């Protein structure tokens, strides 16, 4: 089955750090860019970060640039999001999503995980 | 950043009704516009990519159109399982952004 599954969410104090993981299966992981998209409680969707197929190129939303680091291990079919200096506005469900584009300049999200909840609170 | 303005923010329609949602971009995004469905408590699901292409496995009652700055998403005959929030998303440049969402309910 083609799927991605996130883990690593939880309750973290403001200023703390957390690492999210995403396990991919059922497709050739190294053929796809991979992305993180988040959704604050009761709010809309926000793109967070994308990493290229090789991992050589990374892209971030301004809201997380300098605090979050995306990485991948193609030998293990794993995607990661290292988050630091977390604050309340980072509270959200974080989705791992496969990035794809037929011919466009960037990506849309054709496969999503169930998400993992990150709550930043004291 | 490109702003995507979706309207309406919510709607109520009867089963079998034709439902239309619009998404207006703050600048020309070619046809780099996608539509997602998110049911309560679930992850989003891609329905339409590149403005008008139906994702594999998605029922044909869903359709999309548009180019440039103005886009439309249509459900030709509303079904009970279509109750969800629908989002548009562009990928013309970074940052990738989403519309604010349209919540579809049954009247």
């Amino acid at each position: 089955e083609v799927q991605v599954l996130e883990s690593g969410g939880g309750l973290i104090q403001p200023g703390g750090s957390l690492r999210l993981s995403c396990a991919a299966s059922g497709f050739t992981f190294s053929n796809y860019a991979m992305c993180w998209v988040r959704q604050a409680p009761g709010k809309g969707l926000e793109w967070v970060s994308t990493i290229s197929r090789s991992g050589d190129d990374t892209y971030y939303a301004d809201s997380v640039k300098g605090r979050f680091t995306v990485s991948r291990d193609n030998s293990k079919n794993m995607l990661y999001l290292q988050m630091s200096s977390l604050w309340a506005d980072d509270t959200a469900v974080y989705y791992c999503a496969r990035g794809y584009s037929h011919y466009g300049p960037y990506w849309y999200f054709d496969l999503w995980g169930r998400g993992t909840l990150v709550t930043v609170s004291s | 950043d490109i702003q995507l303005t979706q309207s309406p923010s919510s709607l109520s329609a009867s089963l079998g009704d034709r439902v239309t949602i619009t998404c207006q971009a703050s600048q020309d995004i070619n046809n780099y516009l996608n539509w997602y469905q998110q049911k309560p408590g679930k992850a989003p699901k891609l329905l339409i990519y590149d403005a008008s292409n139906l994702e594999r496995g998605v029922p044909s009652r869903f359709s999309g159109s548009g180019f440039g700055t103005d886009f439309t998403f249509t459900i030709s005959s509303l079904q009970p399982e279509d109750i969800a929030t629908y989002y548009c998303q562009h990928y013309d440049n970074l940052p990738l952004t989403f519309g604010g969402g349209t919540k579809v309910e049954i009247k």
Side-chain angles (χ1 to χ4, degrees), chain A residues 37 39 43-47 50 59 61 95 100-110 112-114, chain B residues 1 31-32 34 36 38 42-46 49-50 55 87 89-96 98 100:
Chain A
V37 177
Q39 186 170 36
K43 302 298 184 182
L45 299 166
E46 179 188 17
W47 169 74
T50 296
Y59 310 85
Y95 293 103
Y100 189 72
S101 172
H102 285 287
Y103 58 86
Y106 293 97
W107 321 273
Y108 55 84
F109 314 110
D110 71 341
W112 296 68
R114 296 179 181 178
Chain B
D1 298 5
N31 68 330
Y32 302 137
N34 314 297
Y36 300 86
Q38 186 177 32
K42 301 294 187 181
K45 174 187 174 183
L46 177 68
Y49 63 93
D50 295 343
E55 175 71 345
Y87 294 93
Q89 175 247 331
H90 87 85
Y91 68 116
D92 183 68
N93 60 21
L94 296 181
L96 310 176
F98 292 84

Side-chain angles (χ1 to χ4, degrees), chain B residues 1 14 17 30 33-34 37 47 49 51 56 64 68-69 75-76 80-81 87 90 92-94 97-98 103:
Chain B
D1 298 5
S14 300
D17 280 357
N30 201 315
L33 193 283
N34 314 297
Q37 175 193 64
L47 299 181
Y49 63 93
R56 185 168 46 196
T69 61
I75 307 173
S76 61
E81 60 267 31
Y87 294 93
H90 87 85
D92 183 68
N93 60 21
L94 296 181
T97 58
F98 292 84
K103 187 174 184 179

Side-chain angles (χ1 to χ4, degrees), chain A residues 65-79:
Chain A
K65 199 172 294 182
R67 300 188 299 122
F68 290 12
T69 302
V70 62
S71 61
R72 65 190 297 164
D73 185 337
N74 285 345
S75 69
K76 296 181 179 178
N77 292 348
M78 293 292 297
L79 173 72

Side-chain angles (χ1 to χ4, degrees), chain A residues 10 12-20 35-40 46-51 57-72 79-95 116-120:
Chain A
I12 187 77
Q13 291 192 338
S17 298
L18 199 63
R19 188 177 86 155
L20 304 183
C35 312
W36 291 98
V37 177
R38 69 183 181 182
Q39 186 170 36
E46 179 188 17
W47 169 74
V48 172
S49 180
T50 296
I51 187 166
D57 299 303
T58 58
Y59 310 85
Y60 299 94
D62 284 348
S63 58
V64 306
K65 199 172 294 182
R67 300 188 299 122
F68 290 12
T69 302
V70 62
S71 61
R72 65 190 297 164
L79 173 72
Y80 305 100
L81 185 67
Q82 179 68 46
M83 306 184 294
S84 62
S85 300
L86 286 161
W87 56 61
D89 283 355
D90 296 314
T91 294
V93 173
Y94 285 74
Y95 293 103
T116 187
L117 177 62
V118 173
T119 302
V120 184

